[in-house]
Amino acid sequence: MALKIAFSGKGGAGKTTLSALAIKYFIDKKITPVLAVDADPNANLNIALGLDFNETIADIREEVLEGKVMNGETKNEFILRRLNEILVEGENVDLLVMGRPESQGCYCAVNHLLREYLSKLARQYKVVVTDTEAGMEHLSRRTTDDLDVLFIVANPDPVSLRAAIRIQDIAGKLKLKIKDKYLILNRLNSTPPLFLKEMMESARLNFIGSIPEDLQVSMCVQEGKAVLGLVSTRAGEALYKIIEERLKKKSD
Ligand SMILES: Nc1ncnc2c1ncn2[C@@H]1O[C@H](COP(=O)(O)OP(=O)(O)OP(=O)(O)O)[C@@H](O)[C@H]1O
Ligand SMILES: [Mg+2]
């Protein structure tokens, strides 16, 4: 069974960057193959991974609704074939892009089939890392259920932390199947200041660690290059420790 991890948090908190660095961790440790899922309608995880994509899960959904299932093919066969076609294959990591949210229409049946096939697909991987969209929509639409770890990413400021608290609350209220939720403070070079510590404690956020401000990472993103291609970064090292701590805790 694949280890399923997702990164959520306020817009710009660092979800995509940390998703790519987490994928790099699993590749470096040879815990492969990895499935990267870009669940942000404004998809850009591919850039961080140095991969290109043309089509998304949303395209399949629309095609089924528009009756584009080929003659001689059942709906199931069509979905399975198209899923294989849109899957972008990298060296140790494959990428699946969810695409735009559904417009009006009756998507229940196709969504049901897609979910079924996606969970079958996930079983072919050692790890699934999902980069989610900002905000809580994906949680209420329940595309982020059945997770081992939800990392909630926040920058060290009250607005970002409040967004993290809301995400934790919504995840709790929806009773999503998430084994563990952890808070990561991103772009923080020291221990959290007292007022943030107090906010975290009163909201019972499970703070697992901080990622430092890393010029190498921000330059790489600014230049549109792949974070996955960076050999060694301060941000990556900090995230590696966090992931290792979580993995170690579970094997104890
Ligand atoms: N630890 C870090 N050090 C330096 N820059 C960082 C760090 N983490 C993220 N950044 C920068 O912050 C910006 C936002 O990061 P990123 O795109 O990963 O956030 P996001 O949460 O995915 O944003 P969005 O909500 O728009 O998808 C990027 O320019 C990225 O380079
Ligand atoms: Mg992003």
Side-chain angles (χ1 to χ4, degrees):
M1 202 62 170
L3 176 72
K4 292 187 189 158
I5 296 178
F7 287 85
S8 63
K10 193 177 176 298
K15 301 175 288 295
T16 304
T17 306
L18 297 191
S19 297
L21 290 172
I23 289 165
K24 186 166 164 48
Y25 169 85
F26 292 108
I27 293 175
D28 284 355
K29 300 290 167 189
K30 301 194 168 34
I31 307 174
T32 55
V34 179
L35 176 65
V37 178
D38 193 342
D40 186 346
N42 196 3
N44 61 2
L45 179 63
N46 65 299
I47 299 173
L49 301 179
L51 296 171
D52 285 328
F53 76 93
N54 294 313
E55 299 181 297
T56 69
I57 293 285
D59 296 326
I60 302 182
R61 211 192 280 129
E62 297 299 332
E63 285 163 6
V64 173
L65 231 66
E66 287 164 12
K68 288 193 178 154
V69 177
M70 300 276 216
N71 284 343
E73 222 176 9
T74 65
K75 202 185 277 182
N76 292 35
E77 285 164 351
F78 175 81
I79 292 179
L80 206 58
R81 173 173 64 79
R82 294 290 290 125
L83 256 179
N84 282 320
E85 283 169 6
I86 68 162
L87 188 71
V88 180
E89 289 179 14
E91 211 162 299
N92 292 300
V93 55
D94 294 347
L95 172 69
L96 200 60
V97 181
M98 300 304 283
R100 64 195 176 280
E102 44 207 71
S103 47
Q104 279 185 337
C106 182
Y107 290 93
C108 293
V110 58
N111 276 346
H112 179 77
L113 281 174
L114 276 170
R115 257 197 301 272
E116 204 173 288
Y117 284 128
L118 287 177
S119 54
K120 256 189 212 156
L121 179 75
R123 276 181 231 139
Q124 297 169 19
Y125 294 86
K126 287 260 175 66
V127 190
V128 179
V129 176
T130 304
D131 175 18
T132 70
E133 69 184 297
M136 274 63 74
E137 295 79 7
H138 59 283
L139 291 179
S140 52
R141 275 195 267 113
R142 307 203 58 154
T143 49
T144 315
D145 54 1
D146 188 13
L147 284 175
D148 293 291
V149 184
L150 178 67
F151 285 121
I152 308 173
V153 186
N155 295 135
D157 65 73
V159 177
S160 197
L161 202 58
R162 256 180 240 123
I165 295 169
R166 273 201 302 276
I167 289 172
Q168 166 164 275
D169 287 351
I170 289 182
K173 278 192 193 121
L174 290 174
K175 300 202 169 37
L176 300 179
K177 281 181 256 157
I178 302 173
K179 284 198 195 120
D180 296 303
K181 302 181 208 76
Y182 298 104
L183 173 76
I184 294 179
L185 287 177
N186 186 26
R187 312 185 79 160
L188 176 67
N189 295 326
S190 57
T191 51
L194 190 61
F195 75 98
L196 286 184
K197 263 192 192 155
E198 285 171 355
M199 274 179 80
M200 292 185 312
E201 276 162 23
S202 74
R204 294 173 181 271
L205 279 167
N206 197 357
F207 173 57
I208 194 165
S210 310
I211 309 289
E213 177 69 30
D214 188 326
L215 195 61
Q216 205 190 347
V217 165
S218 54
M219 288 296 289
C220 174
V221 175
Q222 265 171 41
E223 289 167 7
K225 292 186 183 148
V227 173
L228 195 64
L230 294 172
V231 176
S232 157
T233 58
R234 290 178 65 216
E237 273 168 36
L239 185 64
Y240 281 25
K241 276 196 195 130
I242 287 173
I243 297 174
E244 254 154 27
E245 187 177 318
R246 165 57 173 71
L247 295 182
K248 190 172 154 277
K249 218 180 265 171
K250 290 294 148 180
S251 63
D252 281 349

